[in-house]
Amino acid sequence: MQEWSIQQIARIAGTTSRTLRHYDDIGLLPPSRIGSNGYRYYDEQSLVRLQRILLLRELGLGLSQIEDVLTHQQDEQAALTTHLTLLKDEQQRLARQVAAVEHTIEVLAGRTQLMADEMFDGFDHTEHKDEVEQRWGKDAYQQSDNWWKDMSDDERRSWMKDVQQLQTDWVAAAKSGEATDSPVAQGLAERHVAWLSSIPGTPSAQSQDNVKPYVRALAQMYVEDERFAANYGGTQEATFVRDALLHYLAD
């Protein structure tokens, strides 16, 4: 039976050995065997399970929710068929987003007239509703949802532009070799904390006392959760963001 080492699986799946060890520690993805040298090895069945885990993570489920799904839906072929349907739906949504951004580029280039409905086709701010409610409560989600709905198209466009610029600046700083305690990195950290505190419903917006624990928790998630890490170019860049934020909060 073919099997792979933990390092091979991490490389193939685009994750980290640390993540795979964590999945083992919580019983989500035990290795098929552990060698006499203490190394973890994974067989084909383990790879199928890991694929399901990563797919469910991309759909926004937490690890405890994923464990429930895997426990109650053990028919892997049926489960992956369901995943495939969801992925195709997501593919269609992303295709609509691509078309929306292309439309905006055409508008900015002066080649067509702006159509607000087309600009935001495929964008769904409610996609993380369940996760937000689970982490911070229904009231937190409702406040942020009302805030988003009350904004005009211009305000939403400006807000999204600011967020994208902040992410771009983080990635640039990380790739340029900036130290996490440098003025550039700490300036970005200040902007980041101010941005998080400006969103109604977030713990940092509700109370100044919540800012440090909330941002610390998020900073760690940027590294541990592939979805967040991808926003900053990958785990290495996300680690830079986390460390810069933690240094800023320590002052």
Side-chain angles (χ1 to χ4, degrees), residues 18 25 32 135:
R18 178 182 177 183
D25 291 341
S32 54
R135 289 181 182 277

Side-chain angles (χ1 to χ4, degrees), residues 137-171:
K138 292 186 177 181
D139 185 60
Y141 173 79
Q142 193 60 56
Q143 287 185 50
S144 62
D145 184 56
N146 291 339
W147 164 76
W148 181 261
K149 289 178 178 177
D150 287 343
M151 285 197 290
S152 66
D153 289 344
D154 285 342
E155 289 172 331
R156 291 194 193 99
R157 183 166 58 251
S158 176
W159 187 84
M160 291 169 63
K161 181 180 178 181
D162 289 343
V163 173
Q164 291 169 352
Q165 186 61 57
L166 178 59
Q167 292 174 345
T168 298
D169 292 346
W170 271 123
V171 173

Side-chain angles (χ1 to χ4, degrees), residues 123-243:
F123 292 92
D124 181 12
H125 75 284
T126 66
E127 62 178 320
H128 300 302
K129 176 177 183 291
D130 292 341
E131 188 171 2
V132 171
E133 290 184 345
Q134 181 182 8
R135 289 181 182 277
W136 297 296
K138 292 186 177 181
D139 185 60
Y141 173 79
Q142 193 60 56
Q143 287 185 50
S144 62
D145 184 56
N146 291 339
W147 164 76
W148 181 261
K149 289 178 178 177
D150 287 343
M151 285 197 290
S152 66
D153 289 344
D154 285 342
E155 289 172 331
R156 291 194 193 99
R157 183 166 58 251
S158 176
W159 187 84
M160 291 169 63
K161 181 180 178 181
D162 289 343
V163 173
Q164 291 169 352
Q165 186 61 57
L166 178 59
Q167 292 174 345
T168 298
D169 292 346
W170 271 123
V171 173
K175 291 186 178 299
S176 68
E178 286 284 348
T180 55
D181 60 350
S182 70
V184 170
Q186 290 305 290
L188 287 170
E190 183 178 9
R191 283 170 57 192
H192 199 100
V193 172
W195 162 59
L196 290 172
S197 301
S198 71
I199 304 173
T202 61
S204 57
Q206 294 172 354
S207 171
Q208 189 65 29
D209 293 337
N210 294 334
V211 172
K212 288 189 175 182
Y214 173 60
V215 176
R216 286 194 186 102
L218 280 182
Q220 192 60 39
M221 286 176 60
Y222 294 162
V223 177
E224 295 178 351
D225 191 316
E226 291 88 348
R227 297 170 302 167
F228 285 101
N231 290 329
Y232 300 102
T235 303
Q236 183 175 347
E237 291 81 1
T239 300
F240 171 81
V241 176
R242 179 198 65 188
D243 293 347

Side-chain angles (χ1 to χ4, degrees), residues 68-141:
D68 289 341
V69 171
L70 296 180
T71 299
H72 294 96
Q73 195 175 24
Q74 297 186 6
D75 185 336
E76 291 173 339
Q77 183 175 350
L80 288 171
T81 299
T82 300
H83 286 319
L84 181 60
T85 300
L86 293 171
L87 286 170
K88 287 182 176 178
D89 291 342
E90 178 67 5
Q91 184 180 45
Q92 293 176 359
R93 186 182 71 83
L94 289 174
R96 287 161 51 204
Q97 280 195 4
V98 168
V101 174
E102 288 177 341
H103 169 72
T104 303
I105 292 173
E106 291 294 303
V107 170
L108 295 174
R111 291 190 289 265
T112 189
Q113 184 176 359
L114 185 147
M115 300 292 292
D117 289 342
E118 291 186 29
M119 286 187 64
F120 297 102
D121 187 28
F123 292 92
D124 181 12
H125 75 284
T126 66
E127 62 178 320
H128 300 302
K129 176 177 183 291
D130 292 341
E131 188 171 2
V132 171
E133 290 184 345
Q134 181 182 8
R135 289 181 182 277
W136 297 296
K138 292 186 177 181
D139 185 60
Y141 173 79

